[in-house]
């Protein structure tokens, strides 16, 4: 029961059927508190805690990383959303 809990969550969020509003999020959490998050709409990391702000500043200096994460909307999110959506529609 005692200990620390750190995790990273990757999410593809959208509400339209053409995926035009698709957003890729990467949230880093420690003990259930999100300390930093990448948002493809913003195009950078944002820190939510004192430590998260420092991590975000360092990550945001890496332009190659930010470009790779922004591309995830087209390379990861949309293809997977299309696959999942089509399998759900086929069963309806």
């Amino acid at each position: 029961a005692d200990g620390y809990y750190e995790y990273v969550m990757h999410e593809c969020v959208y509400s339209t059927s053409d995926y035009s509003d698709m957003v890729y999020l990467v949230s880093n959490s420690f003990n259930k508190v999100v300390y930093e998050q990448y948002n493809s709409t913003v195009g950078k990391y944002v820190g939510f805690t004192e430590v998260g702000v420092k991590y975000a500043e360092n990550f945001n200096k890496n332009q190659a990383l930010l470009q790779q994460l922004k591309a995830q909307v087209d390379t990861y999110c949309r293809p997977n959303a299309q696959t999942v959506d089509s399998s759900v529609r086929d069963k309806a």
Side-chain angles (χ1 to χ4, degrees), residues 45-91:
Y45 276 91
V46 176
F48 298 109
T49 66
E50 185 177 338
V51 171
V53 168
K54 291 178 184 178
Y55 280 130
E57 288 173 358
N58 285 330
F59 282 132
N60 290 334
K61 292 176 185 175
N62 186 341
Q63 290 302 310
L65 172 65
L66 296 178
Q67 289 175 348
Q68 182 182 19
L69 289 170
K70 191 163 185 83
Q72 291 289 68
V73 171
D74 294 320
T75 59
Y76 174 73
C77 290
R78 282 195 180 97
N80 284 305
Q82 290 168 342
T83 301
V84 171
D85 287 354
S86 67
S87 65
V88 170
R89 273 189 242 111
D90 292 345
K91 299 202 184 319

Side-chain angles (χ1 to χ4, degrees), residues 9-63:
M9 185 165 50
H10 300 257
E11 298 176 271
C12 300
V13 181
Y14 61 97
S15 62
T16 60
S17 60
D18 66 354
Y19 312 119
S20 60
D21 63 341
M22 179 87 57
V23 178
Y24 177 63
L25 303 171
V26 181
S27 302
N28 295 300
S29 302
F30 182 77
N31 286 349
K32 300 182 182 180
V33 175
V34 177
Y35 59 88
E36 70 182 2
Q37 182 180 65
Y38 172 81
N39 181 321
S40 64
T41 303
V42 177
K44 65 179 186 175
Y45 276 91
V46 176
F48 298 109
T49 66
E50 185 177 338
V51 171
V53 168
K54 291 178 184 178
Y55 280 130
E57 288 173 358
N58 285 330
F59 282 132
N60 290 334
K61 292 176 185 175
N62 186 341
Q63 290 302 310

